[in-house]
């Protein structure tokens, strides 16, 4: 017999054995399947969310807990945030980035402050600028990011000619910035000028006082706002990148002809002391950027770290940027305790923040 025939016959013989093995495996499977040892898997079947007319926001978020992907994240974040607020020993830090005030989230934040759910706020100069504009009588308006019959560029060129600033689909007439400048020069900066170099927190506190007083004196229909609520509630506002705003620009301009100036490092001690003295600490991070990092890095110079953390962001983590970094990543830096409860919610903060706050308030009630 040739080598070719041997190989051919051997191939048939191997195939026969393979068929026998397959039949044996099938028999074993039919006769009694042995479950593999599983460490990661836990029997926790997914459910299906149910919605009905008249259900509350809290009930809706509870239904999210039956589902997966983003719904499960929202449910977990709401649970952690509610626990954070219910912990009477917890010092709550809130960071607020992005266009949250001009897009209609202002009262949610000021109400959280007035109700004692924020112990320190870290935000942008832009949010404080728009907050003050509303406090003294200015208004933001519904607008559009495009216009029928015009290219996007032509639409914005028209707004430029009409002296209207656009924030996506929100409009703000430019005359409100002139009103804001007068407010700062008449009501805020003169009192600070007598003190020389002041902290940014001191500037924010004086802005809150002025907003509150002018709002009441002028009978403005709109609420006095975030800075006013913080001033009235003795809650510090930190604005580490205040220069990056109209508020900061106006402060710089005023400093050119006066003794007024800002000490950028002065806020580090009181903010660190607040974190150092906290029995437990929690953070609600709305958006990323400087406010998020400023809030998290505070724990790097204290013995402890955050016990609770919830963040809302639209940025992906794969870029390596801080804005999209998960709170699990922050744990590696020592910004969160190893056993901290934390959740990251990916989504538009103008949608997610009201959802989380409403759900937490419902639980607390």
């Amino acid at each position: 017999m040739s080598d070719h025939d041997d190989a051919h016959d051997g191939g048939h013989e191997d195939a026969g054995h393979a068929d026998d093995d397959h039949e044996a495996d099938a028999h074993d499977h039919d006769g009694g399947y042995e479950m593999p040892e599983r460490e990661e898997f836990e029997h926790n079947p997914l459910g299906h969310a149910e919605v009905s007319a008249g259900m509350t926001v809290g009930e809706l978020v509870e239904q999210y807990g039956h589902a997966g992907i983003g719904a499960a994240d929202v449910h977990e974040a709401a649970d952690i945030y509610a626990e954070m607020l219910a912990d009477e020993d917890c010092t709550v830090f809130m960071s607020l980035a992005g266009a949250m005030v001009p897009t209609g989230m202002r009262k949610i934040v000021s109400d959280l402050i007035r109700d004692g759910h924020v112990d320190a706020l870290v935000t942008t100069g832009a949010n404080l600028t728009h907050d003050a504009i509303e406090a003294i009588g200015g208004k933001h308006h519904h607008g559009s990011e495009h216009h029928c019959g015009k290219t996007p560029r032509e639409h914005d060129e028209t707004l430029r000619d009409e002296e209207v600033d656009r924030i996506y689909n929100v409009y703000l007439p430019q005359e409100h910035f002139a009103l804001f400048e007068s407010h700062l020069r008449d009501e805020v900066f003169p009192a600070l000028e007598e003190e020389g170099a002041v902290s940014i927190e001191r500037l924010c506190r004086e802005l809150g006082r002025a907003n509150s007083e002018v709002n009441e004196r002028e009978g403005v229909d709109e609420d006095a706002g975030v800075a006013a609520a913080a001033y009235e509630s003795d809650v510090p506002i930190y604005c580490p990148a205040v220069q990056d705003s109209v508020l900061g620009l106006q402060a710089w301009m005023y400093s050119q002809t006066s003794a007024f100036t800002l000490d950028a490092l002065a806020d580090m001690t009181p903010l660190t002391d607040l974190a150092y003295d906290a029995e437990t600490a929690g953070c609600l991070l709305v958006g990323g950027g400087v406010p998020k990092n400023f809030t998290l890095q505070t724990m790097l110079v204290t013995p402890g770290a955050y016990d609770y953390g919830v963040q809302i962001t639209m940025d992906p983590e794969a870029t390596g940027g801080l804005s999209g970094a998960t709170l699990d990543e922050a744990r590696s830096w020592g910004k969160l305790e190893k056993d901290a409860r934390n959740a990251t919610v990916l989504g538009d903060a103008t949608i997610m923040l009201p959802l989380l706050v409403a759900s937490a308030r419902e639980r607390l009630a």
Side-chain angles (χ1 to χ4, degrees), residues 82-309:
E83 183 177 331
M84 184 196 312
L85 297 187
D87 185 345
E88 295 182 357
D89 296 324
C90 184
T91 301
V92 178
F93 297 77
M94 180 178 184
S95 74
L96 190 72
M100 297 301 288
V101 168
T103 53
M105 301 293 107
R106 180 174 180 257
K107 197 168 189 308
I108 293 174
V109 179
S110 62
D111 284 347
L112 283 173
I113 294 171
R114 289 195 172 97
D115 292 341
H117 297 319
V118 178
D119 295 297
L121 176 67
V122 183
T123 190
T124 61
N127 274 318
L128 293 175
T129 296
H130 292 279
D131 175 60
I133 285 174
E134 294 253 350
I136 60 178
K139 289 296 296 180
H140 297 82
H141 300 267
H142 290 287
S144 176
E145 71 276 19
H146 56 79
H147 188 279
C148 183
K150 293 183 178 180
T151 66
R153 176 167 180 161
E154 290 170 341
H155 175 51
D156 287 314
E157 287 175 348
T158 300
L159 291 174
R160 171 71 175 269
D161 293 339
E162 295 179 2
E163 298 184 354
V164 174
D165 296 327
R166 180 172 72 86
I167 306 169
Y168 189 58
N169 57 5
V170 174
Y171 292 163
L172 179 65
Q174 290 181 8
E175 59 264 25
H176 290 331
F177 286 110
L179 181 67
F180 176 58
E181 179 182 357
S182 298
H183 177 61
L184 293 174
R185 290 182 169 272
D186 295 341
E187 306 285 346
V188 180
F189 293 152
L192 297 174
E193 184 177 0
E194 301 173 1
E195 302 175 25
V198 300
S199 68
I200 298 172
E201 187 276 328
R202 177 72 184 91
L203 168 63
C204 295
R205 190 164 10 117
E206 191 65 19
L207 179 64
R209 178 204 59 77
N211 291 355
S212 178
E213 291 183 2
V214 171
N215 185 271
E216 183 176 1
R217 185 176 72 220
E218 300 298 328
V220 178
D221 292 335
E222 191 61 58
D223 179 84
V226 175
Y231 169 76
E232 294 162 4
S233 305
D234 198 25
V235 170
I237 293 180
Y238 299 102
C239 185
V242 68
Q243 303 95 318
D244 185 32
S245 66
V246 174
L247 172 60
L249 185 64
Q250 289 296 331
W252 169 75
M253 292 175 65
Y254 193 84
S255 73
Q256 301 306 293
T257 57
S258 73
F260 164 75
T261 190
L262 294 173
D263 183 349
L265 297 179
D267 288 337
M268 300 299 291
T269 298
L271 177 61
T272 301
D273 287 347
L274 187 64
Y276 196 97
D277 295 336
E279 290 190 39
T280 58
C283 58
L284 173 62
L285 309 171
V286 182
V290 173
K292 174 185 174 181
N293 187 65
F294 199 70
T295 302
L296 289 176
Q297 77 170 15
T298 300
M299 289 299 174
L300 294 178
V301 288
T302 68
Y306 283 110
D307 302 279
Y308 307 96

Side-chain angles (χ1 to χ4, degrees), residues 305-360:
Y306 283 110
D307 302 279
Y308 307 96
V310 171
Q311 76 163 336
I312 305 169
T313 182
M314 291 184 72
D315 293 296
E317 62 175 304
T319 65
L322 186 280
S323 294
T326 65
L327 293 178
D328 290 323
E329 180 180 310
R331 181 179 283 106
S332 75
W333 289 74
K335 298 172 182 177
L336 266 71
E337 296 286 2
K338 287 185 177 180
D339 61 351
R341 294 197 66 198
N342 61 275
T344 295
V345 175
L346 294 174
D348 184 338
T350 64
I351 298 170
M352 296 303 179
L353 179 63
L355 197 66
L356 294 181
V357 171
S359 176

